[in-house]
């Protein structure tokens, strides 16, 4: 078996130690004689797994006691609907900041359920920058403000947290959760699909301040009803228990690495190293405003697009997977989530330099 | 490693060969150098897995070409909302047949979105029988008729398919899909959570006749929108790809066993053997109308309930897991889905007889 260096944007690389533990336990978890995917979510074994995962996540992110942590299904896309359904009435206005493809999807979904005010739009920069908050047109009585801290397609990231006063701040942290410390108390709701920094696809974590649990409209699908899910330990229905278990192993792995502070140090180093290599080349170029460059998704283009296919083919031969940019924008994208090592990034840079020497 | 005999109601036992294959491929699927849970759902490798799973399911159930097969998230509970949202307008009436706990949940969810006519209710039999269709009070212009072919808690199963003329028949097959052949053409929509007969939790399969895809109301959450999902190969958002993959391995396993006809033969034999043992004892009793006894969930009570704890403790010692009845009804329940072998059922019967000799 030979593992590649996996730069996929999501589903994405998981720590090899986690996968090895999953493999080890696959037919018999801790001597119970069955796989985690075969046991009742309401039995002692899985309840222990579920509770430990929540405790570890609470510890990693220093989640205050007045926040509920939910482990749901449907990814961020389900939460695009759940957010307005749980936090607004039809006649309400919600503010959204549009910084790219994922923001846009959140806006489109929210428009089904309430009035959306796009308080800021990064279109002027072709979504390669983030408008400063001074320019945002906020609604004073907004039901909430929604933004996307990291946009995976263009590779832009907020390195600051918006200030919204009494308006609940809601954020789609799918592609940046656990990559660095965050001050959860600044947020009303944080949600994140698991398939980048937490585990397999099919799981979405919702962290919601408990005073926001009473704002849902009358008719919310039960699987999207945060209050019902909070009341039932995310087990109003059968949860995605196996993915929850794998996410729990990832949380433990992060703790062993030194927690999110260690992840921040690693992720800053990886991103700085890779952006420096791009900026120092004549063949590669990153189009993003340096103040908003993503630590997680590093996009770059080749000076001559006709080399793209050769670049990707050679990368594959060098054991580097998942470097093609999103199909909507082309170019290249190296997603370097927590599980990507610094030596993995250095191997990518080595390949890029070698390719430049040969084609530059 | 020692595997128990797992009678859990769901998540439930999977074929050991499937789990072994998952384990074998966990860090490196078919030489690609990554786990299935780490790769893009839009890449060649996963698209191949996804398409093969659909083809195999189509073959197993002889699904006609004019039906779409969707692989979604949120289990049957998400579909409890998706059914009225996709098939009715708010002013419409939908007929529901209430044969137990799962029917009731479907009814409660549907009432959020349309008028529900409970066309038949098994309350008179304490949900241990199924009212014959002659007694149902159907709405001639109903948007659809919904029923639950198998109720896991009481252990009642339809051994016939309702006749609804032009009214689309919608069925929650979560606990009985693939346990025997069905005539899909009799149904408008079949849906089934994976965690009993198909794979890990976190996946729900929806089989929908394509002429029904144009009936959704204007605002359906994208993750529940069958038409959007059908148009995008169930990848409008990131699917539960790892669960989809495991389900595909289960489909291949069923094919190797001889398909659903072989499953039917096996499941009939398992159920008959177990019910005969119960009926032939003085200690055990099954309360279900013999015409409606479930092949999948065999419930039984002990003549003296004070023996329940001893029975379960002894079962655990004998390597028999998951026999406690649902917490809402107590007693015992042996769930004997496809992955349970006849010898496993015989081992259970051996234990039951031994227990009866000691306590009868």
């Amino acid at each position: 078996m030979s593992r590649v260096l996996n730069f996929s944007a999501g589903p994405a690389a998981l720590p090899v130690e986690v996968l090895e533990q999953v493999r080890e336990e696959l037919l018999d978890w801790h001597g119970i004689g069955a796989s985690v995917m075969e046991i009742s979510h309401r039995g002692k074994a899985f309840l222990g797994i579920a509770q430990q995962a929540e405790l570890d996540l609470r510890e990693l992110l220093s989640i205050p006691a007045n926040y509920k942590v939910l482990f749901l299904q449907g990814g961020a896309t389900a939460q695009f609907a759940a957010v307005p359904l749980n936090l607004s009435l039809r006649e309400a206005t919600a503010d959204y900041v549009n910084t790219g493809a994922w923001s846009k999807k959140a806006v489109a979904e929210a428009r089904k359920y309430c009035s959306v005010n796009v308080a800021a739009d990064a279109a002027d920069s072709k979504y390669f920058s983030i408008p400063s908050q001074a320019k945002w047109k906020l609604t004073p009585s907004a039901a909430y403000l929604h933004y996307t801290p990291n946009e995976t397609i263009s590779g832009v990231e907020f390195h600051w947290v918006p200030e919204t006063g009494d308006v609940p701040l809601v954020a789609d942290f799918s592609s940046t959760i656990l990559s660095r410390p965050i001050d959860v108390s600044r947020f009303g709701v944080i949600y994140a699909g698991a398939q980048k920094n937490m585990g397999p696809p099919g799981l979405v974590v919702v962290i919601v301040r408990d005073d926001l649990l009473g704002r849902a409209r009358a008719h919310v699908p039960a699987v999207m009803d945060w209050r019902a899910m909070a009341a039932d330990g995310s087990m109003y229905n059968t949860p995605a228990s196996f993915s929850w278990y794998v996410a729990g192993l990832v949380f433990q792995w992060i703790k062993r690495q030194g927690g999110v502070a260690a992840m921040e140090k690693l992720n800053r180093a990886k991103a700085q190293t890779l952006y420096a290599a791009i900026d120092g080349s004549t063949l590669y170029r990153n189009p993003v405003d340096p103040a908003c460059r993503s630590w997680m998704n590093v996009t770059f283009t080749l000076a001559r697009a006709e080399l793209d296919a050769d670049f990707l083919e050679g990368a594959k031969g060098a054991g580097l997977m998942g470097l093609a940019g999103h199909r909507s924008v082309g170019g290249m994208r190296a997603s370097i989530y927590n599980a990507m090592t610094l030596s993995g990034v250095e191997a990518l840079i080595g390949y890029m330099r070698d390719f430049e020497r040969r084609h530059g």
Side-chain angles (χ1 to χ4, degrees), chain A:
Chain A
M1 187 208 68
S2 135
R3 297 259 303 162
V4 295
L5 289 169
N6 184 354
F7 295 94
S8 298
L14 291 171
V16 68
E17 291 160 61
V18 166
L19 292 172
E20 284 168 348
Q21 188 172 348
V22 172
R23 181 174 62 182
E24 172 69 24
E25 299 175 343
L26 197 79
L27 276 83
D28 182 14
W29 183 83
H30 292 205
I32 62 170
S35 176
V36 172
M37 65 177 87
E38 298 178 295
I39 59 175
S40 172
H41 50 294
R42 299 191 193 278
K44 192 176 152 190
F46 186 74
L47 289 177
I49 290 169
Q51 286 159 6
Q52 189 62 49
E54 178 177 336
L55 284 173
D56 287 336
L57 184 60
R58 284 186 174 276
E59 182 183 330
L60 284 167
L61 291 177
S62 303
I63 300 174
N66 63 322
Y67 285 73
K68 301 289 188 204
V69 178
L70 311 177
F71 292 80
L72 307 180
Q73 296 177 59
T77 303
Q79 297 308 313
F80 293 166
V83 167
L85 287 168
N86 282 280
L87 293 183
S88 74
L89 301 178
R90 177 158 288 289
E91 59 275 18
T93 296
D95 284 347
Y96 277 71
V97 179
N98 179 10
T99 52
W102 293 106
S103 305
K104 273 180 206 143
K105 287 201 170 196
V107 166
E109 191 74 2
R111 284 197 203 283
K112 295 177 180 174
Y113 301 108
C114 64
S115 296
V116 169
N117 168 48
V118 177
D121 195 307
D124 285 352
S125 72
K126 295 181 180 166
Y127 300 99
F128 290 133
S129 187
I130 291 170
S132 69
Q133 191 175 340
K135 296 179 185 160
W136 298 5
K137 295 194 172 63
L138 297 173
T139 307
S141 60
Y144 57 88
L145 176 118
H146 181 282
Y147 82 114
T148 312
N150 185 70
E151 287 279 357
T152 54
I153 294 179
S154 55
V156 301
E157 184 166 2
F158 280 78
H159 296 285
W160 48 281
V161 174
E163 183 51 65
T164 55
D166 290 338
V167 172
L169 182 59
V170 178
D172 172 5
F173 265 87
S174 296
S175 49
T176 180
I177 194 162
L178 292 169
S179 67
R180 65 173 87 183
I182 47 174
D183 180 355
V184 173
S185 72
R186 304 273 305 267
F187 296 86
V189 181
I190 286 170
Y191 64 92
Q195 69 271 17
K196 294 153 199 292
N197 262 332
M198 291 193 285
L203 180 73
V204 58
V205 170
V206 180
I207 303 167
V208 51
R209 208 174 63 217
D210 53 18
D211 67 288
L212 299 176
L213 290 176
R215 302 190 181 190
R217 55 191 72 187
H219 296 149
V220 180
V223 294
M224 293 183 174
D225 184 334
W226 295 338
R227 184 150 66 170
M229 284 297 184
D232 217 347
S234 303
M235 296 190 192
Y236 176 88
N237 66 332
T238 307
S241 54
F242 187 75
S243 299
W244 190 338
Y245 149 74
V246 178
L249 297 182
V250 172
F251 300 157
Q252 288 172 14
W253 176 83
I254 295 174
K255 285 175 69 177
R256 290 197 301 275
Q257 309 310 303
V260 288
M263 289 294 116
E264 176 178 40
K265 195 174 161 190
L266 172 68
N267 288 321
R268 178 186 282 120
K270 287 170 356 195
Q272 285 182 346
T273 307
L274 185 49
Y275 284 117
I278 292 167
D279 293 343
S281 84
T282 52
L283 182 61
Y284 309 110
R285 181 176 171 273
N286 169 274
V288 178
D289 174 358
C292 317
R293 282 173 162 182
S294 171
W295 287 10
M296 297 286 103
N297 311 97
V298 178
T299 56
F300 57 95
T301 52
L302 275 62
R304 289 177 284 141
E306 67 270 22
L307 292 175
D308 283 4
D310 277 357
F311 181 89
L312 288 169
E313 188 62 26
K316 198 175 159 188
L320 309 168
M321 177 201 249
L323 287 167
H326 189 268
R327 62 198 189 290
S328 64
V329 294
M332 304 298 153
R333 171 174 55 175
S335 295
I336 52 174
Y337 302 116
N338 285 349
M340 176 55 62
T341 58
L342 183 57
S343 66
V345 170
E346 286 164 348
L348 168 61
I349 292 169
Y351 168 71
M352 290 168 69
R353 288 192 174 139
D354 182 60
F355 186 87
E356 185 167 5
R357 267 192 297 277
R358 287 184 285 118
H359 297 90

